[in-house]
């Protein structure tokens, strides 16, 4: 048996509009409709990486309005096996701070009303996916290995709470999310992660921590985001460079 050769894709969020902008764009449609953007194909020596912009080419699609199913189904049509989900988060936990990165290990879904499953037709076969571990362990390990190689400040583990948005939280909501065990707050990881699992695609998040969660800092959230997004983004780009240009063994002997 030969080893599986992974086909990677990046689903990029806020701040990554220029990612691969010179690469050719593929226009794909799926049974769930069209994905958020054309899919850019970045070519490397012996492989390629697809890039899809979750919020659209002009960053106009709000988190609740993203067609997550079409995005993942389009990548599936391109035979993508592994997705790195880039997204920005606010941080509750004290050990992490804005400007840094995180690869959470768990999530709690607080979203509602989103088309969240491919099993939406009585005639289609139904599967209850195992979602005990919502992210692909090998991909998480590889992202952490690339982070170490890139000397990036990246936190391993923690819980991502997925909020509905597009508004940010109240201070009382953040207290409640903390009591629920949440470390990071973002708006887009669900149903992205579960639809990927339904389609048999491995997915792991690489989160850019861009602000302290509401009520957890003296500065305003928007000032926080403006100040920290570039630092986090540069760290994420370093991680991706190591991940794709200088792959390292995530489990050295
Ligand atoms: N809350 C929810 N989503 C976010 C945040 C936040 O504080 N920052 C970036 N995305």
């Amino acid at each position: 048996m030969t080893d599986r050769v992974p086909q990677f894709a990046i689903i990029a969020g806020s701040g990554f509009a220029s990612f691969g902008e010179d690469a050719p764009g593929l226009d794909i449609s799926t049974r769930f409709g069209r994905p958020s953007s054309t899919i850019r194909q970045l070519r490397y020596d012996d492989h390629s990486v697809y890039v899809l912009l979750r919020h659209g080419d002009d960053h106009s699609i709000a988190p609740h309005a993203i067609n997550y199913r079409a995005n993942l189904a389009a990548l599936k049509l391109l035979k993508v096996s592994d997705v790195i989900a880039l997204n920005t988060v606010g941080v509750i936990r004290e050990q992490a701070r804005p400007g840094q990165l995180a690869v959470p290990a768990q999530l709690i879904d607080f979203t509602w009303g989103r088309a969240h499953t491919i099993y939406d037709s009585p005639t289609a076969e139904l599967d209850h996916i195992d979602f005990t571990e919502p992210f692909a362990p090998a991909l998480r390990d590889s992202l952490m290995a690339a982070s170490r190689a890139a000397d990036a400040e990246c936190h391993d583990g923690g819980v991502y709470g997925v909020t509905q948005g597009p508004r940010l939280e109240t201070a009382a909501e953040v207290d409640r999310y903390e009591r629920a065990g949440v470390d990071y707050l973002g708006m887009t990881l669900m149903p992205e992660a579960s639809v990927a699992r339904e389609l048999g695609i491995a997915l792991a998040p690489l989160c850019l921590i861009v602000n302290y969660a509401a009520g957890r800092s003296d500065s305003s959230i928007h000032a926080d985001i403006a100040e920290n997004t570039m630092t986090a983004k540069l760290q994420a780009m370093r991680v991706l460079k190591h991940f794709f240009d200088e792959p390292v063994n995530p489990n050295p002997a």
Side-chain angles (χ1 to χ4, degrees), residues 88-91 160-161 163 167-169 185-187 208 210-214 221 225:
T88 60
V89 295
V91 60
Y160 182 127
T163 62
R167 69 166 176 84
L168 293 155
E169 297 72 36
L185 287 168
M187 302 175 190
L208 284 64
V210 295
N211 61 283
Y212 286 110
I221 290 203
I225 292 175

Side-chain angles (χ1 to χ4, degrees), residues 31-139:
R31 73 180 173 99
F32 300 110
R34 303 184 88 77
S36 298
S37 72
T38 56
I39 298 174
R40 300 166 181 177
Q41 187 174 22
L42 278 58
R43 288 187 187 283
Y44 292 77
D45 287 348
D46 57 348
H47 63 282
S48 68
V49 177
Y50 294 111
V51 176
L52 190 157
L53 299 181
R54 191 188 281 115
H55 297 284
D57 289 310
D58 54 358
H59 201 269
S60 60
I61 311 174
H64 67 283
I66 291 168
N67 191 338
Y68 295 94
R69 297 189 303 177
N71 286 352
L72 272 310
L75 296 178
K76 185 75 183 176
L77 287 173
L78 292 170
K79 304 211 171 353
V80 165
S81 59
D82 292 70
V83 167
I84 297 172
L86 289 181
N87 49 66
T88 60
V89 295
V91 60
I92 302 178
R93 85 193 287 201
E94 278 164 17
Q95 298 92 314
R97 56 186 161 76
Q100 299 179 333
L101 306 176
V103 178
Q106 278 290 335
L107 66 77
I108 303 178
D109 186 8
F110 297 99
T111 67
W112 46 270
R114 303 182 181 191
H116 66 285
T117 177
I118 64 167
Y119 301 116
D120 62 344
S121 142
T123 55
E125 217 174 299
L126 170 64
D127 191 9
H128 300 282
I129 53 160
D130 184 340
F131 208 44
T132 314
E133 299 294 337
F135 311 125
L139 188 52

Side-chain angles (χ1 to χ4, degrees), residues 152-238:
E153 299 167 295
C154 185
H155 297 271
D156 189 356
V159 178
Y160 182 127
V162 196
T163 62
Q164 178 72 354
R167 69 166 176 84
L168 293 155
E169 297 72 36
T170 67
E173 285 170 337
V174 170
D175 291 343
R176 180 177 150 231
Y177 289 132
E178 184 175 38
R179 287 195 296 276
V182 171
D183 299 301
Y184 305 105
L185 287 168
M187 302 175 190
T188 55
L189 203 47
M190 283 296 285
E192 199 164 271
S194 55
V195 170
R197 179 70 53 86
E198 286 180 345
L199 288 167
I201 298 174
L203 179 144
L206 178 61
C207 300
L208 284 64
I209 306 172
V210 295
N211 61 283
Y212 286 110
R216 299 301 173 101
S217 153
D218 292 336
S219 59
S220 82
I221 290 203
H222 285 130
D224 235 10
I225 292 175
E227 192 180 322
N228 295 296
T229 299
M230 188 49 79
T231 310
K233 181 179 166 183
L234 291 175
Q235 297 218 67
M237 294 304 282
R238 282 209 327 265

